[in-house]
Amino acid sequence: MATRAARTRFACRECGYESPRWLGRCPSCQAWNSLEEFKPAVPALVSSSPRPQTLADVDRSPDARARTGLSELDRVLGGGIVPGSVVLMGGEPGIGKSTLLLQASHRFAEQHGPVLYVSAEESIEQVALRARRVGALSRALSVLAETDVDAVMTAACAHRPKLLVVDSVQTVAASDAEGPAGSLSQVRECAARLTRLAKAEGIPVLLVGHVNKQGLLAGPKVLEHSVDAVLYMEGERHTQFRTLRCAKNRFGSTDEIGIFEMAEEGLREVPNPSELFLEERAAGAAGTVIVATLEGTRPLLVEVQALVGPAPFGGTPRRQVSGVDYQRAAIILAVLERRCGLPLHSCDVFINVAGGVRLLEPAADLAVAVAVASAHWDRPVDPGTVVFGEVGLAGEVRATRRAERRAQEAAKLGFRRCVLPRANASPVVLRTGIECVGVATVAEALKAVDAAERR
Ligand SMILES: Nc1ncnc2c1ncn2[C@@H]1O[C@H](COP(=O)(O)OP(=O)(O)OP(=O)(O)O)[C@@H](O)[C@H]1O
Ligand SMILES: [Mg+2]
């Protein structure tokens, strides 16, 4: 589409905040000196009148998705890659973005035909070294080490791949756009050109994106708006697990996650993550409990750990939380203090979720409460018990969705008891074959897991 330049605007390099004038400090992320000038391109007025179509006449088979062959990636994408779609994958440096996309490219090439992998960050030799290590040596997979976006587009038009991967959108540049590669105007322009290519030629494009200090995709926010799906690869770099989450998806749910394990031969899919997360659990230790959580439609059993100790005299008690939301953890500690009588105001509290997993749903609340109480009393929770339930400010335990699925997963993995919200302890759940103990309050839950006896 033809474009014409509009009035100059300014956008924050860190968070994408846009302003009509320059500011020394970004009002959104508070970063200093982060606003950069750019010229937004606006669509030119088209002289010939466009012809609207009725949707029923648009020829598009509903199931045109192409599976990548990595089922964990396909799950997050909503079943596979839609032709002509643009997917942006973000993640911290070294988390495994290039590895995953190289493996996906290989599998895709084996099934569907030519794939063009553009490496703008690494030399062909570096990519080849990785390809050999992860076994991505399909004859239909071609690699191009190129940083000029127009050269990439020319190669894509000549090669006509079934999938184009660009690693990364911050390192390619358009020679006729302002600024160095990675600057706002360059990222914006390159993404726009590649998106146009995807839509015009029907070639799906996978873009790698860097994340900034806040963990968000670096570059203009408009980048996230203009692509069809945004995936984030997460995980502690020092644990072997990697989680693929979906922040946006025009063609599927954003609830699903994919779980991988980083190994010598690349990222290995983890079809049954619960077993893996429980492998190294500290069964029988005080301060740990298993939560039955749900990621998308998939139940996941993970270990929540807590450590509670006296705070240094006169000092502020420390609260260190990893894997669960800090604000939710603060609420749970307040509930334990006010509703269950635990004197946590004078204690340091550390909370962690094993395996680098991030628990986002409120159903993990009860497990945090139980783990902290167990750590405080130094009394282990029965290792055959799993818990789940949302905790309210009155100390009540609220119902969660799909309790039956969670209880089933716990039963499958050999757990004997499930402490769950009373409202969920329906006959259906009770039929799962696991002993279900319905609780209405956190205090009841603590009694049920046997952590409250030696107070
Ligand atoms: N020989 C190896 N054996 C096992 N794991 C390796 C090996 N080489 C690299 N890795 C893993 O791969 C990771 C790097 O993966 P990759 O280069 O795909 O990350 P990336 O997200 O693309 O990084 P960047 O942002 O720098 O491009 C390393 O952090 C390491 O965990
Ligand atoms: Mg990389």
Side-chain angles (χ1 to χ4, degrees), residues 70-386:
L70 282 176
S71 52
E72 294 294 300
L73 175 60
D74 287 337
R75 178 205 303 276
V76 180
L77 287 170
I81 299 184
V82 174
S85 65
V86 182
V87 178
L88 183 61
M89 181 184 290
E92 287 186 6
I95 200 81
K97 302 179 291 294
S98 307
T99 309
L100 180 65
L101 291 188
L102 195 61
Q103 287 178 263
S105 300
H106 163 77
R107 299 267 192 112
F108 194 95
E110 292 285 273
Q111 292 177 75
H112 306 288
V115 172
L116 181 59
Y117 184 101
V118 177
S119 175
E121 292 191 345
E122 294 167 297
S123 65
I124 296 239
E125 289 73 25
Q126 282 173 301
V127 180
L129 208 62
R130 180 183 294 122
R132 212 154 290 145
R133 178 164 57 84
V134 304
L137 297 170
S138 167
R139 303 294 310 174
L141 170 60
S142 317
V143 180
L144 175 71
E146 181 57 69
T147 53
D148 183 344
V149 74
D150 292 324
V152 169
M153 290 174 62
T154 310
C157 288
H159 192 77
R160 301 222 51 86
K162 296 272 190 265
L163 173 70
L164 172 66
V165 178
V166 179
D167 187 356
S168 66
V169 69
Q170 276 93 1
T171 45
V172 286
S175 52
D176 52 346
E178 287 172 28
S183 65
L184 277 176
S185 45
Q186 283 287 1
V187 171
R188 191 183 282 262
E189 190 52 40
C190 292
R193 287 185 194 187
L194 291 167
T195 306
R196 277 202 294 274
L197 172 83
K199 306 292 169 203
E201 305 292 328
I203 302 171
V205 177
L206 289 181
L207 299 174
V208 172
H210 293 167
V211 296
N212 59 22
K213 276 179 261 154
Q214 284 87 34
L216 301 170
L217 275 160
K221 201 76 189 155
V222 72
L223 192 60
E224 287 188 45
H225 289 300
S226 64
V227 299
D228 297 307
V230 180
L231 311 182
Y232 278 100
M233 196 167 186
E234 296 173 351
E236 298 290 326
R237 205 143 20 119
H238 308 293
T239 71
Q240 75 272 38
F241 298 111
R242 301 288 183 272
T243 313
L244 199 60
R245 281 181 198 280
C246 188
K248 161 185 170 172
N249 194 350
R250 286 185 180 147
F251 308 114
S253 147
T254 53
D255 281 343
E256 297 293 347
I257 65 161
I259 297 177
F260 298 88
E261 188 186 1
M262 182 60 93
E264 172 74 28
E265 67 277 12
L267 286 156
R268 214 184 282 147
E269 295 179 84
V270 182
N272 198 346
S274 302
E275 277 173 18
L276 242 128
F277 288 133
L278 297 183
E279 231 169 43
E280 293 177 64
R281 67 180 285 215
T288 79
V289 68
I290 306 300
V291 59
T293 179
L294 209 62
E295 286 287 359
T297 52
R298 189 162 54 165
L300 194 64
L301 299 194
V302 278
E303 184 181 10
V304 177
Q305 306 174 328
L307 191 62
V308 177
F313 185 71
T316 314
R318 289 178 66 190
R319 301 278 183 260
Q320 201 110 18
V321 176
S322 123
V324 286
D325 179 55
Y326 186 87
Q327 307 298 347
R328 283 210 82 83
I331 290 175
I332 295 162
L333 296 186
V335 168
L336 283 173
E337 175 121 28
R338 299 284 300 165
R339 311 288 175 197
C340 307
L342 267 69
L344 296 172
H345 61 272
S346 56
C347 299
D348 287 340
V349 180
F350 303 91
I351 299 168
N352 179 42
V353 181
V357 181
R358 254 192 334 133
L359 297 177
L360 298 176
E361 60 157 5
D365 291 355
L366 193 57
V368 174
V370 167
V372 171
S374 159
H376 178 73
W377 292 318
D378 198 20
R379 185 170 173 83
V381 174
D382 163 35
T385 299
V386 296

Side-chain angles (χ1 to χ4, degrees), residues 419-430:
V419 175
L420 74 171
R422 182 165 295 159
N424 283 134
S426 65
V428 185
V429 176
L430 299 176

Side-chain angles (χ1 to χ4, degrees), residues 48-58:
S48 62
S49 61
R51 210 161 42 86
Q53 268 182 289
T54 47
L55 292 174
D57 295 337
V58 179

